Amino acid sequence: MQDPRLLELRRRLPQLRLLTDPADLAYYGQDWTRRWTPAPLAVALPIDIAEVQGVVCWANEQHVAIVPSGGRTGLSGGAVAANGELVLSLTRMQRVLEFDPIDRLLRVQPGLTLEAAQTAAREHGLIYPVDLGSRGSCSIGGNIATNAGGLHVIRHGNTRSWIAGLKVVTGAGELLDLNRGLVKDASGYDLRQLMIGSEGTLGVVVEALLQLTAPLPASQVMLLGLPGVDALMQVFDLFRARVSLQAFEFFSDRGLQHVLANGARRALDGEHAYYVVVEFDAALAAERQAGEEAFGLAQQQGWVDDGVVAQSAAQAAALWRLREGITEALAPRGPYKTDVSVRIGALPEFVREVQALLRDGFPQLEVVWFGHIGDGNLHINLLPPESMGSEAFGNLRGEVTSLLAAALSRHGGSISAEHGIGLVKREYLSSSRSGAEIALMRGIRASFDPNGVLNPGKLFTAD
Ligand code: MLT
Ligand code: ZN
């Protein structure tokens, strides 16, 4: 550890765990995008808030960039360290600190995995309702940094709705204790909400107060096969009016083929353009009946060709696997994963338009559609042919994103619904945000992090 900046860090914080082994740098320097070659200066693994503050103060004085880091399951490069940054990994700060039964709050450290937070909530007879496929690996701090969405936003909203308080260390090294679990606070700007979704550019989350809630009632899960995109919206509307939805997720037939090839069991005969996993409250016989009536009505209207109702928890899990297994099934093909949103009402036109643009402009790419259609959130995954080199695919990625960005601008949508901007989409921020908004965002960043030490190069172009 010859670097004088690291020697100084060691002198200031003798107890701080610091890694400089090449294997550790490679491991901590990348996220699930796997697109950049990791090249951090070192990895710091603080054990408490004081160490985080010490590292941030050192970074300001030594002019070292910091990449705050959680489970690194991100898909936009937000946690990538490829330019000699110090990775500030919060993974050793992963304790549940306190449960408050009156306010139903769980005070946790940022490195706790989402799954561990969900388990801790259940131990108190409650739930933390944010849920993502990467629950076993992603961390609460990372979820907060990206305002993670996931599978039940339609019922519960994003991470933003479930953070009752936050302790953060700003880029200037100050410790802020934001909102403190208050239900009501009309004392000015809500800095807690500003932190949520800021992708590590304003502060490092060092503690969070998670709002818990009562468990959902027993549910029923259906898989429906649909003939087209208009039917998706009609079925959504029909079910929404008759049952209390817990989830409404979709995927295309291409998505299904990949999951089946990866070992999942087929649940419906025949081929359908789209499939929907619907989950809804079904503790009462009347609720189950309402779901079956909606299914019947959708069939009569020709909006659903076929469907199956899970008869057991195991069958429900098998139906969910058809949706949740797509990411893993596509991974070996190195897909370009996009994550866009439009208003729900704009979906059919947007989907048709983008499908035509991709078919005409990029016939060599296989396109797999899936996502949280009930939230207007589409994951359009593009797979290169086996013969295509990485440089050629890299160029196509840029062209596809420009095309998508233009279509999103026309439809008033967003280039990132839930994965964040990070490195992957920073050139396209202006397709979703006006120049005036971006200028304000940069100004806010400068207020929290005057020397630009926190995650420079992420979210915005050229800091
Ligand atoms: C999902 O909805 O499955 C996640 O956002 C991950 C992905 O897009 O692959
Ligand atoms: Zn998603």
Side-chain angles (χ1 to χ4, degrees), residues 32 73 75 132-134 149-151 249 323-328 330 337-339 370-372 377-381 418-419:
W32 280 8
T73 56
L75 296 166
L132 320 177
S134 57
L151 303 167
E249 298 276 313
R323 158 64 183 92
E324 284 198 271
I326 298 176
T327 300
E328 185 193 318
L330 299 185
K337 305 177 71 62
T338 73
D339 160 45
F370 66 93
H372 321 284
N377 177 182
L378 307 165
H379 297 311
I380 312 167
N381 286 245
E418 60 173 4
H419 294 167

Side-chain angles (χ1 to χ4, degrees), residues 229-230 233 342-353 355:
V229 68
D230 286 316
M233 291 296 99
V342 291
R343 276 166 66 159
I344 299 166
L347 275 168
E349 213 184 309
F350 177 78
V351 171
R352 262 194 296 273
E353 189 177 316
Q355 273 175 342

Side-chain angles (χ1 to χ4, degrees), residues 57-241:
C57 291
W58 161 86
N60 274 277
E61 283 169 29
Q62 299 289 321
H63 311 291
V64 177
I66 289 176
V67 176
S69 182
R72 299 186 315 287
T73 56
L75 296 166
S76 294
V80 167
N83 288 306
E85 304 96 331
L86 181 89
V87 174
L88 183 60
S89 169
L90 284 309
T91 42
R92 288 176 76 215
M93 293 172 64
Q94 51 166 277
R95 278 182 303 136
V96 174
L97 299 171
E98 186 188 4
F99 170 64
D100 172 348
I102 302 295
D103 285 283
R104 293 179 156 181
L105 296 174
L106 199 63
R107 191 158 65 86
V108 304
Q109 292 187 309
L112 190 73
T113 63
L114 172 59
E115 189 165 59
Q118 291 171 336
T119 303
R122 273 196 298 274
E123 281 163 9
H124 296 289
L126 297 168
I127 60 163
Y128 177 62
V130 176
D131 194 24
L132 320 177
S134 57
R135 61 184 78 77
S137 313
C138 66
S139 71
I140 290 294
N143 290 174
I144 292 168
T146 53
N147 184 27
L151 303 167
H152 299 290
V153 171
I154 196 168
R155 180 64 167 261
H156 296 292
N158 299 297
T159 297
R160 182 175 298 296
S161 309
W162 298 96
I163 303 301
L166 273 184
K167 281 192 188 154
V168 296
V169 173
T170 68
E174 282 158 333
L175 179 64
L176 306 180
D177 189 1
L178 304 173
N179 201 64
R180 307 179 301 283
L182 300 176
V183 177
K184 289 182 145 187
D185 178 11
S187 64
Y189 305 149
D190 190 341
L191 301 181
R192 158 198 53 160
Q193 290 297 348
L194 207 48
M195 289 290 159
I196 301 169
S198 63
E199 302 193 31
T201 62
L202 301 181
V204 181
V205 174
V206 289
E207 212 174 278
L209 272 178
L210 306 182
Q211 183 67 61
L212 308 185
T213 189
L216 286 172
S219 65
Q220 190 142 68
V221 177
M222 287 183 184
L223 178 75
L224 309 174
L226 283 71
V229 68
D230 286 316
L232 277 172
M233 291 296 99
Q234 282 148 338
V235 172
F236 174 59
D237 207 31
L238 187 71
F239 273 81
R240 187 174 51 174

